Amino acid sequence: MRIAIVNIGSIVSGDLDQPRVAGDTIVTEDDRIVSVGTAPASAVEACDVVIDADRTTAIPGLIDSHVHITFGDFTPRQQTIGYLESYVHGGVTTAISASEVHVPGRPRDADGVKALAVAAHKCFQHYRPGGMRVHAGSVILEPTLNGNDLGEIAKQGVWLAKAGFGAFATAYDYAPLVAAARAHGMITTVHTGGASIPGSGAITGDHLLALRPHVSFHVNGGPTAMPDRDFERIIVESDVALQICTAGNLRTALLCAALAERHRAFERVLIATDTPTGSGVMPLGMLYTIAHLASLGGVAPERAIAAATGSNARVYRLDTGVLAAGKKADIVLIDAPEGGTQDTALAAIRNGDIAAVGAVIAGGAPRFVGRSRNTPATTRQARVVRSRVTQDFAAPAH
Ligand SMILES: [Zn+2]
């Protein structure tokens, strides 16, 4: 399918170094972006679907890098089905599993731990809930595993490893497995802050500096924060990515973002939700945290959007999250919410409002155009002005 989005008001790239792109048109073909900015009339004419953005703002599809994936579109923690499809209506086109820790009765023996990660990874390779791409299968590091086990599942495609829920005496004991996971090419992640479920202990700055993962999961607390003094140490003394989560401590989220800006390390700030958890299902969580950083933390809206898109993609080595030719065709149109005080999406975000989502293109297909069922309505009205395909864009596709 070829799609043209025309009459875009402004284009936010998702790239922190160059957050705005001039022009008003984006063209995609199959699952890739062909051009961003301008396109010849012939290229637009050749498209199967033409969407008039009505001067709304184009951003990359949001990447939630901390979602409690299990199997299918179901969260056992909140007994809710269809939550991932609901997140698409919050502009999320990619979810990354925070490990399948919520699977009821999850195994702790080596064979069971490995099987769980491999099965989750493979189940989501061909299943896109609501059009969302889900990267699942994050192996839970347990004392029953060794380096060879990690090599075995890496061969099966597992590329995410999570420390923090294993039955270790102290968090320092994760170090050999985190190093082994890294050696097998995995992205390593470590729970940060107070215990989130009974049986897991607090993980603070000393532990993170000893373990050196790629990502500090919910650096602002999941939901309980580590000591304030540890934030600057992690920023200055390591290159660990700083994942700020909606379902965490808001004060330390703002503290971490401010320290990262001061130390010119904002490219390491990632936005995620850490949901569904005890905090619930939060389809607009990404948009909330973007608005919190911009309105309370003084972060420029396009930089906050980059933390939720391109920066997540860079750290997790994903081929999406940036509006540029060749990247995956994951595009969201946002706008000032109807009835608000602001005129554009970015001004609304700076004002602390939740941006209204007007269209989501995920994996090169429009999932809906016109109205998200979860955000307020947009001020302007993106709409399909021509379609040669038999698809109803008003309803979410499965
Ligand atoms: Zn979590």
Side-chain angles (χ1 to χ4, degrees):
M1 188 189 307
R2 280 183 285 192
I3 305 170
I5 309 172
V6 302
N7 197 21
I8 299 169
S10 53
I11 300 173
V12 175
S13 70
D15 177 355
L16 204 57
D17 293 332
Q18 209 176 344
R20 301 290 281 267
V21 180
D24 63 0
T25 302
I26 299 174
V27 174
T28 70
E29 180 164 11
D30 299 330
D31 68 342
R32 297 282 170 179
I33 294 173
V34 174
S35 65
V36 177
T38 55
S42 57
V44 173
E45 182 51 38
C47 284
D48 306 295
V49 177
V50 178
I51 297 168
D52 182 340
D54 196 27
R55 309 303 292 169
T56 56
T57 299
I59 67 171
L62 302 174
I63 301 171
D64 187 344
S65 57
H66 195 126
V67 183
H68 281 280
I69 301 297
T70 58
F71 288 94
D73 195 354
F74 170 60
T75 163
R77 182 57 54 89
Q78 294 302 336
Q79 300 287 320
T80 302
I81 56 167
Y83 76 100
L84 290 167
E85 188 247 332
S86 195
Y87 281 37
V88 173
H89 282 253
V92 179
T93 57
T94 304
I96 303 173
S97 177
S99 80
E100 288 68 34
V101 72
H102 287 180
V103 169
R106 74 177 164 92
R108 301 255 181 178
D109 64 295
D111 284 339
V113 170
K114 288 188 287 182
L116 175 60
V118 172
H121 171 72
K122 295 195 176 185
C123 280
F124 278 100
Q125 278 186 314
H126 307 288
Y127 171 48
R128 299 183 69 122
M132 177 192 288
R133 168 60 69 204
V134 179
H135 297 284
S138 173
V139 63
I140 303 164
L141 299 178
E142 291 276 6
T144 51
L145 294 177
N146 62 40
N148 291 337
D149 292 316
L150 297 176
E152 208 179 287
I153 58 173
K155 279 202 196 85
Q156 296 292 317
V158 173
W159 60 277
L160 296 161
K162 157 78 179 278
F165 287 107
F168 287 97
T170 88
Y172 294 112
D173 297 339
Y174 285 107
L177 283 178
V178 171
R182 219 182 232 282
H184 285 294
M186 295 181 181
I187 298 291
T188 57
T189 61
V190 173
H191 174 98
T192 305
S196 69
I197 58 172
S200 61
I203 298 180
T204 61
D206 285 334
H207 301 110
L208 287 171
L209 291 171
L211 297 175
R212 302 266 164 181
H214 292 88
V215 183
S216 161
F217 261 1
H218 46 65
V219 67
N220 59 316
T224 311
M226 66 179 173
D228 283 6
R229 62 178 178 276
D230 287 4
F231 286 88
E232 195 156 28
R233 291 182 59 210
I234 292 164
I235 292 168
V236 173
E237 297 173 33
S238 83
D239 61 356
V240 173
L242 312 157
Q243 185 191 63
I244 288 174
C245 288
T246 315
N249 180 313
L250 174 58
R251 186 184 62 79
T252 57
L254 299 172
L255 169 72
C256 185
L259 287 169
E261 288 280 32
R262 189 182 309 161
H263 291 288
R264 298 183 183 282
F266 195 79
E267 78 282 357
R268 285 159 55 196
V269 171
L270 313 179
I271 292 177
T273 63
D274 187 12
T275 61
T277 51
S279 303
V281 171
M282 298 179 72
L284 305 185
M286 295 294 287
L287 294 172
Y288 271 101
T289 297
I290 289 168
H292 292 161
L293 292 191
S295 62
L296 300 175
V299 176
E302 55 270 44
R303 290 173 69 76
I305 289 166
T309 56
S311 297
N312 267 319
R314 189 190 70 254
V315 168
Y316 283 90
R317 304 178 197 140
L318 301 180
D319 204 9
T320 183
V322 174
L323 296 183
K327 295 288 185 182
K328 293 276 189 191
D330 297 325
I331 305 159
V332 173
L333 296 178
I334 59 174
D335 195 21
E338 191 176 52
T341 59
Q342 307 297 310
D343 188 44
T344 65
L346 298 186
I349 289 168
R350 198 179 291 112
N351 190 53
D353 292 325
I354 300 308
V357 174
V360 169
I361 286 95
R367 306 299 170 169
F368 64 89
V369 177
R371 177 83 202 253
S372 156
R373 72 163 189 256
N374 288 332
T375 70
T378 50
T379 301
R380 300 164 186 82
Q381 190 61 58
R383 59 198 183 277
V384 175
V385 290
R386 194 185 73 217
S387 177
R388 295 181 186 133
V389 299
T390 52
Q391 184 174 338
D392 177 6
F393 299 118
H398 288 275

